[in-house]
Amino acid sequence: MRTWLLVLSATGLSACVTINIYFPAAAAEKAADKVIDEIWQVPAGQSPASSQHSAPTATPVTPSATPVTPTVNPESAP
Amino acid sequence: MMRLLHNCSRLLQLFLRQGYHTLKVGVFLGCLAMLFEALPVYAAADLDVNTPAVAAVKASMQSRHLQLLPHYQSGTVGLTADGFVAVKEAGLVPLSQRSALAALVKDENTDRARLYQGMAAANGHPEWEGEIQRTFAQRWIDKAQAGWFVQRDGQWVRK
């Protein structure tokens, strides 16, 4: 009976050790999504960023409506 | 031989009788250890992607993406099933630009390999590189924009 307990606890412990070696697929997917978004969002993220930089100076001026339209075009083109 | 076995079983009996308390403590400590060992599993639920090496590769890939984007959209370059990029239709670019395109694709693939390797190393498991690459391969393709070419079952498919 006690030996079984010992065997059981030993098995339990070794099982725990193996868990640590498993590849965390869900976490990897989450990390991959984050990295891909960061890398691929540059063109989409850059145009709002550049428009943000120009926006504070550009909003009071009326002809600034023109810089806004080019940012829309690349998105609707593909 | 028999004596040896007998001695062994006697020793075990002695241990079980004398060491019953020790055994109880051992089981308790084992349970505690299991609890604490289980904790890092949850702590590692997020993969670290912010080491300097990974950040450098990401920055390099970010800047290159601006050059690659028109090629993805035109179908010159596609996303392969193994997490890399490949020239799919070199004929779409002028002859004079083809070596530059090849270099672009080569650089991108070098960075991608470094990214997979770096992320595995950043999390203390260099052996995860292959799994990370497979995960990325799937996610690059899933996240590819409509019109881009991706490789599925060895064939180029337009998303």
Side-chain angles (χ1 to χ4, degrees), chain B residues 106-146:
Chain B
K106 188 170 168 261
D107 289 348
E108 172 72 7
N109 285 336
T110 309
D111 270 356
R112 285 186 176 213
R114 273 167 56 203
L115 175 73
Y116 307 144
Q117 201 183 347
M119 279 186 66
N123 291 283
H125 288 276
E127 75 277 10
W128 284 354
E129 187 186 337
E131 298 258 29
I132 286 174
Q133 183 180 338
R134 268 190 289 280
T135 309
F136 264 92
Q138 189 58 50
R139 296 313 288 157
W140 288 118
I141 287 175
D142 289 348
K143 282 176 166 278
Q145 288 169 20

Side-chain angles (χ1 to χ4, degrees), chain A residues 20 27 30 33 37-38 40, chain B residues 41 45-46 58 62 139 143:
Chain A
N20 277 331
K30 223 170 81 180
D33 281 357
D37 282 344
E38 278 177 59
W40 276 358
Chain B
V41 176
D46 279 317
K58 273 198 294 191
Q62 267 173 353
R139 296 313 288 157
K143 282 176 166 278

Side-chain angles (χ1 to χ4, degrees), chain B residues 43-122:
Chain B
D46 279 317
L47 282 191
D48 187 15
V49 290
N50 290 317
T51 59
V54 173
V57 178
K58 273 198 294 191
S60 154
M61 288 173 77
Q62 267 173 353
S63 55
R64 191 180 301 106
H65 182 61
L66 282 174
Q67 293 167 268
L68 277 170
L69 186 61
H71 295 306
Y72 290 141
Q73 287 164 343
S74 67
T76 315
V77 174
L79 305 172
T80 65
D82 57 356
F84 290 107
V85 296
V87 178
K88 187 199 146 272
E89 199 70 65
L92 292 173
V93 294
L95 206 62
S96 57
Q97 290 174 25
R98 278 183 206 166
S99 60
L101 175 73
L104 194 68
V105 166
K106 188 170 168 261
D107 289 348
E108 172 72 7
N109 285 336
T110 309
D111 270 356
R112 285 186 176 213
R114 273 167 56 203
L115 175 73
Y116 307 144
Q117 201 183 347
M119 279 186 66

Side-chain angles (χ1 to χ4, degrees), chain A residues 9-73:
Chain A
S9 62
T11 323
L13 272 176
S14 62
C16 264
V17 173
T18 21
I19 284 171
N20 277 331
I21 300 163
Y22 283 147
F23 178 69
E29 204 163 288
K30 223 170 81 180
D33 281 357
K34 205 173 132 192
V35 171
I36 293 171
D37 282 344
E38 278 177 59
I39 292 170
W40 276 358
Q41 243 163 31
V42 172
Q46 220 184 32
S47 17
S50 56
S51 70
Q52 267 171 16
H53 287 305
S54 61
T57 49
T59 2
V61 200
T62 352
S64 69
T66 27
V68 180
T69 19
T71 53
V72 176
N73 281 340

